[in-house]
């Protein structure tokens, strides 16, 4: 009998974690992020230690990478104070929402522009160009494959997240395209 209870408990925990993992972004979360991004970006730009931390070998566009960078720069506690002032529970929560917003926006852009077809056409053109030396061709193909892989990893947003950000796209684009975000 204890084995059945243990299995039942494990299934309940698994089900609960799957349900919470699939919760779409809410308008409140998106608006909260929009309201916070300028202040958080301004704070981050003032932290010289963040610029001294090299990117790790893993994908730099993950919540884990963002948090590890804060910890490596000994800025986690300060970042926590900044995001809490903006209504978030933790830097992890803020980073998770940011990543989901960015992924959803990139997914929508890729769908709109049909970028995967364009990149494949470029790959085919490079492969079939006899004027490109083999070493250069291999390097170019590797760079293109790497770009495609990064785009694919950033374009796998849930349909619910993409739908949630659509009403906010102009504001999100403005925040992400601002000069402050590009420095």
């Amino acid at each position: 009998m204890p084995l059945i209870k243990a299995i039942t408990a494990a299934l309940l925990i698994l089900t609960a974690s799957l349900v919470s993992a699939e919760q779409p972004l809410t308008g409140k979360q998106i608006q909260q992020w929009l309201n916070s991004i300028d202040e958080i970006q301004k704070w981050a730009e003032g932290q010289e230690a963040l610029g001294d931390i090299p990117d790790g070998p893993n994908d730099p566009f993950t919540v884990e990478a963002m948090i590890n960078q804060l910890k490596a720069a000994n800025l986690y506690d300060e970042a926590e104070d900044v995001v809490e002032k903006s209504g978030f529970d933790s830097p992890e929560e803020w980073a998770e929402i940011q990543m989901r917003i960015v992924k959803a926006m990139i997914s929508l852009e890729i769908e709109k522009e049909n970028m995967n077809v364009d990149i494949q056409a470029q790959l085919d053109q490079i492969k079939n160009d006899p004027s490109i030396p083999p070493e250069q061709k291999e390097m170019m193909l590797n760079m293109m494959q790497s770009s495609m892989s990064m785009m694919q990893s950033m374009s796998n947003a849930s349909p619910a997240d993409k739908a949630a950000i659509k009403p906010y796209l102009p504001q999100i684009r403005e925040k992400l395209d601002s000069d402050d975000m590009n420095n």
Side-chain angles (χ1 to χ4, degrees):
M1 209 53 132
L3 180 61
I4 291 174
K5 285 183 181 179
I7 292 172
T8 302
L11 286 174
L12 287 173
I13 291 170
L14 178 62
T15 302
S17 68
L18 289 174
V19 168
S20 68
E22 294 178 11
Q23 293 297 317
L25 287 168
T26 65
K28 179 183 176 199
Q29 290 171 317
I30 296 165
Q31 192 60 58
Q32 187 177 11
W33 178 84
L34 285 166
N35 293 339
S36 73
I37 188 66
D38 291 336
E39 183 176 336
I40 291 169
Q41 184 64 27
K42 184 178 175 183
W43 171 82
E45 286 173 1
Q47 306 307 313
E48 289 182 25
L50 284 175
D52 297 337
I53 307 295
D55 288 335
N58 297 332
D59 185 358
F61 301 109
T62 65
V63 172
E64 183 180 76
M66 292 171 75
I67 299 305
N68 286 342
Q69 194 173 25
L70 287 172
K71 288 178 179 177
N74 292 319
L75 292 169
Y76 181 88
D77 291 340
E78 199 175 319
E80 188 172 35
D81 292 341
V82 173
V83 298
E84 285 176 355
K85 286 179 187 169
S86 295
F88 294 93
D89 292 335
S90 66
E92 288 85 357
E93 179 190 28
W94 184 86
E96 176 69 29
I97 289 170
Q98 172 159 308
M99 291 306 302
R100 290 177 65 191
I101 288 170
V102 170
K103 276 186 161 187
M105 191 180 101
I106 290 171
S107 288
L108 289 170
E109 292 296 322
I110 288 171
E111 289 170 8
K112 181 177 130 190
E113 300 296 327
N114 205 8
M115 287 183 197
N116 288 332
V117 172
D118 292 343
I119 291 175
Q120 188 58 52
Q122 289 176 4
L123 281 171
D124 292 341
Q125 184 178 1
I126 292 168
K127 285 178 187 174
N128 298 323
D129 189 337
S131 67
I132 301 174
E135 301 86 33
Q136 186 179 357
K137 188 180 287 194
E138 184 178 343
M139 183 183 75
M140 291 171 73
L141 290 172
N142 287 339
M143 286 174 44
M144 293 288 289
Q145 292 288 1
S146 176
S147 293
M148 277 184 67
S149 295
M150 188 169 68
M151 245 178 36
Q152 286 174 335
S153 74
M154 288 300 290
S155 69
N156 62 354
S158 75
D161 282 357
K162 290 189 282 189
I165 71 158
K166 277 186 180 178
Y168 301 91
L169 273 176
Q171 296 146 291
I172 293 169
R173 279 192 189 108
E174 181 182 321
K175 296 293 184 184
L176 295 177
D177 289 342
S178 73
D179 289 341
D180 292 338
M181 290 295 290
N182 293 325
N183 289 337

